[in-house]
Amino acid sequence: MSFDVARVRKDFPIFEREVNGHPLVYLDSANTSQKPVQVLDVMRAHQERHNGNVSRSVHTLGTESTERYEAARAKVAAFIGAGRPDEVIFTKNSTEAINLVAHAAGQLLALGPGDEIVISEMEHHSNLVPWQLLCERTGATLRWFGITDEGRLDESGLDELVNERTKLVSVVHMSNVLGTINDVSALVARARQVGALVMLDCSQSVPHFPVDVRELGVDFIAFTGHKMLGPTGIGVLWGRFDLLSEMPPFLAGGSMIETVTMGRTTYAPPPARFEAGTPPITEAIGLGAAVDYLTGIGMDEIHRHEQEITRYALEQLSAVPDVRIYGPASPAGRGGTVSFGVEGVHPHDVGQILDALGVEVRVGHHCARPVCVRFGVPAMTRASFYLYTTTEEIDALARGLDQVRKVFG
Amino acid sequence: MMLDGLYQDIILDHYKHPHGRGLRERFDGEAHHVNPTCGDEITVRVNADLSEISYDGLGCSISQASASVLHELLQGRDAHDAGEIHQAFVELMQGRGQVEPDEEMLGDGIAFAGVAKFPARVKCALLPWMAFKDAAARAGVEVGASPEVKA
Ligand SMILES: Cc1ncc(COP(=O)(O)O)c(C=O)c1O
């Protein structure tokens, strides 16, 4: 069956509403995605009919909850090509997943002065500040890849930047500002040469195109449920099982132990070791339902649709006078997230006028201030797309930008 | 259109033709404030007698026009009057559109009455005013209100 955006949209109740008297035009999926009724129904049914705590009850409800929670883990594992479900750790979001690695892998690597961590200028603050803090704690040095004028990762200094002192490299798979999809094959090969671990922030990639952790050849990836049709409050850390088994815990408490005496504790194997306390059970099950939904449509189909929308958006936006697009100018090697500026108008004002027309975009520094600084602006306006985005919505955006130019012209 | 309340001509005029923009060399107190959610920035400098209030910044029409209006309203006032005007502007901004502005006291500042109905923008309008308050305090002048901004 071929991809039919009109049919997809019927699954999302939010598209029935209006905003400020106009049909909702939701162009902020890179921030958070909308939820299909299939996900909402599964979560509601779980709460109404199966609710119990996981991994610690012998009763029927507890067993049903545990089965559903673990089934969600298996779905997520299959979705990203993980070798086994035990490599999938449920966290609160991407941010927590990255912090987990910064603490636990940081400790495993016994970092100290002279060691180096490498990130990039393209990072979301979530994949930047945890590494700054790790370097502060250990005396290691933080280094980073720059961004080229086209908005791509500048790998020209790869062999010098990733060297014998490098212990871990963590970069974004797809930029939440520029839309750039980073081909990390050269970076991974170089990291392997020098024995450094590699983490990818897949917050913007896993929701939008097929991601296979074995093909990528990395050690850890992080992503977040609410950007992939799932609820907030659930994220994922995937890690290679042998590495996870060596890592010390991050948060401590119930469920992550093997045995506890008053004097000392031994820890459960992964993933339980990294899931202290009662997890977001309903949210994990909701994420499992989101994975089912995405798989049902097909990630290849979704990517193809977003490529078409992106091509159309790039054409339409470049035709608006005074609009400057940041990031790759053609759909090749980029995803459906387009940031731009309107000459002479601050993004806040752009966003406000668009909102009055029902067009929801994000404005600001997008939690990636260094990217804005790199392009010499304090803020940008960003339109981001998903499987439910239509060309009519791009037209509404372009019309809105005409209105912006009228008010501020 | 509901945006008329926000983008009054007076605000757009101040944005396009700001009054008193550009930092003066001589000052007794300076403050730099940023709005971390959107990246707007402003630096305000004042003399101890408020005879000079200068500023420079990057930001949206609301924050930049607000700085221009602040300059117009407060420069050359004594600390008591400046304090009253400051208080009145902060109250207007926090009134959720329910406060009737006093034109005699607030001059062009009354154009911001509509901004108060857009909670996400109240912080923009208040940014220069909060920077001014800190700059004045550093120059030894206590003025104005400290709002609890719940936007
Ligand atoms: C690239 C990237 N990394 C990390 C995050 C953080 O996601 P979360 O806030 O769900 O932890 C985001 C989303 O805001 C993102 O776009």
Side-chain angles (χ1 to χ4, degrees), chain A residues 30-31 92-96 98 124 126-127 172 174-176 201 203-204 224 226-227 362 367 382:
Chain A
N31 203 351
K92 186 170 64 171
N93 46 32
S94 289
T95 304
E96 189 183 89
I98 297 167
H124 187 282
S126 294
N127 195 30
V172 70
M174 173 176 144
S175 164
N176 66 312
D201 175 357
S203 306
Q204 298 288 348
T224 195
H226 67 96
K227 294 189 201 285
R362 172 125 186 233
C367 299
R382 178 184 74 187

Side-chain angles (χ1 to χ4, degrees), chain A residues 195-265:
Chain A
L197 298 178
V198 181
M199 173 158 204
L200 281 191
D201 175 357
C202 292
S203 306
Q204 298 288 348
S205 59
V206 163
H208 296 281
F209 53 88
V211 168
D212 185 306
V213 292
R214 277 170 303 194
E215 255 170 51
L216 286 169
V218 298
D219 300 295
F220 303 103
I221 74 169
F223 54 101
T224 195
H226 67 96
K227 294 189 201 285
M228 51 189 290
L229 312 184
T232 55
I234 184 78
V236 173
L237 170 68
W238 168 85
R240 264 178 34 220
F241 193 80
D242 54 334
L243 262 175
L244 293 175
S245 330
E246 289 172 38
M247 278 159 49
F250 170 42
L251 300 176
S255 302
M256 47 78 71
I257 53 96
E258 193 176 58
T259 170
V260 179
T261 65
M262 288 315 291
R264 62 175 249 109
T265 294

Side-chain angles (χ1 to χ4, degrees), chain A residues 3 8 11-12 29 33-36 38-39 75-76 79-80 202-211 223-231 286-303 306 385-388:
Chain A
F3 185 85
V8 166
D11 293 332
F12 292 78
S29 291
S33 66
Q34 298 303 343
K35 324 298 171 200
Q38 288 84 344
V39 168
K75 288 174 189 179
V76 169
F79 189 63
I80 56 169
C202 292
S203 306
Q204 298 288 348
S205 59
V206 163
H208 296 281
F209 53 88
V211 168
F223 54 101
T224 195
H226 67 96
K227 294 189 201 285
M228 51 189 290
L229 312 184
L287 177 59
V291 163
D292 284 342
Y293 185 86
L294 291 168
T295 310
I297 291 179
M299 291 308 291
D300 282 316
E301 293 281 329
I302 290 171
H303 183 51
E306 289 182 28
F385 320 132
Y386 210 173
L387 72 166
Y388 40 62

Side-chain angles (χ1 to χ4, degrees), chain B residues 4-5 32 35 43-45 53 57-58 76 82 87-88 106 113 118 125-128 133:
Chain B
D4 292 352
H32 176 75
N35 182 344
T43 303
V44 176
R45 290 178 174 175
I53 299 173
L58 282 172
Q87 175 94 31
L106 288 177
F118 294 81
L126 286 177
L127 185 70
K133 183 175 144 57

Side-chain angles (χ1 to χ4, degrees), chain A residues 20 344-346 348-350 352-354 356-357 362-366 369 378-379 403 407-409, chain B residues 1-3 6-7 12 15-16 35-41 58-62 118 120-121 124:
Chain A
N20 296 324
V345 191
H346 191 276
H348 257 189
D349 295 317
V350 176
Q352 191 84 56
I353 291 175
L354 291 176
L357 301 167
R362 172 125 186 233
V363 299
H365 55 46
H366 312 290
R369 201 173 162 274
Q403 182 68 27
V407 174
F408 284 89
Chain B
M1 182 163 74
M2 56 178 298
L3 275 182
L6 186 63
Y7 294 117
L12 292 175
Y15 176 54
K16 289 172 189 167
N35 182 344
T37 51
C38 61
D40 284 3
E41 301 192 13
L58 282 172
C60 64
S61 58
I62 305 296
F118 294 81
R121 303 308 290 280
C124 307

